[in-house]
Amino acid sequence: MWKFFDRAEEILALVFLAGTVISVLAGAIGRSIGSPFPQGPEIAQLLLIWTCMLGADLTIKRGEHIRVSALPDALSPRYRIVLNWVCLICIVPFLGYIVFLGTQLALSNWARELGASGLSYGMVTLALPVGAALMIISVLRRVFAHGVLFALEPEVAEQEYPL
């Protein structure tokens, strides 16, 4: 089930990214030929925020997020586990708080229209709590799959390190 979910998320992120590019391109071409596409920037904004949030989740899912490894690398495995617990105890509640506040923001903006597109601004702001919820799931999946010691470490493909 997770493989299907992960693949669907990757495809959706790519579709949203392509949609962002197409929307910006259509708006630019429309202005150039004298037939503006006023919905272009709003649609691009909507698709871009969803692309960013899905991309952030995919990055965390693979352990490719930005991390400063000088301190963890200097610690023994025992203290690295403690440091990882501290990080996880900070990350998960923070993302939960984003889910809580982001949901309130999305619901409060649902009636607001997004410029000329007629779409709900709530669709834009909903990307934040949905992305944060996906990141919580990804972090917890990594903890259960790799353990606390390697939950925040990047994935290492076997083909990169031949025997």
Side-chain angles (χ1 to χ4, degrees):
M1 175 184 127
W2 286 117
K3 274 190 171 187
F4 172 77
F5 177 75
D6 294 345
R7 187 67 182 144
E9 186 179 13
E10 288 177 10
I11 290 170
L12 192 59
L14 289 172
V15 167
F16 285 170
L17 180 60
T20 303
V21 171
I22 291 168
S23 180
V24 169
L25 184 63
I29 290 173
R31 280 191 306 276
S32 296
I33 62 174
S35 179
F37 177 52
Q39 298 90 348
E42 286 89 14
I43 292 171
Q45 176 187 10
L46 171 70
L47 295 174
L48 182 61
I49 187 64
W50 279 94
T51 302
C52 290
M53 294 311 294
L54 292 175
D57 180 49
L58 291 169
T59 301
I60 284 180
K61 195 175 290 180
R62 295 180 181 133
E64 295 173 352
H65 52 283
I66 295 174
R67 67 185 205 93
V68 179
S69 62
L71 180 60
D73 289 348
L75 297 174
S76 68
R78 178 179 175 203
Y79 291 113
R80 191 179 301 174
I81 287 176
V82 172
L83 180 63
N84 282 354
W85 270 115
V86 169
C87 290
L88 291 169
I89 288 171
C90 291
I91 291 169
V92 173
F94 175 73
L95 290 172
Y97 190 61
I98 290 174
V99 170
F100 175 72
L101 289 181
T103 302
Q104 289 180 338
L105 179 66
L107 293 175
S108 68
N109 282 314
W110 206 260
R112 182 177 160 201
E113 281 192 12
L114 182 63
S117 67
L119 297 170
S120 169
Y121 191 72
M123 292 173 64
V124 173
T125 55
L126 187 63
L128 188 62
V130 169
L134 290 172
M135 287 184 241
I136 290 171
I137 293 168
S138 295
V139 166
L140 294 177
R141 280 178 58 195
R142 287 188 59 82
V143 168
F144 289 118
H146 303 290
V148 175
L149 183 60
F150 298 106
L152 302 175
E153 299 291 322
E155 298 281 330
V156 179
E158 289 182 34
Q159 61 268 21
E160 290 182 23
Y161 299 101
L163 296 175

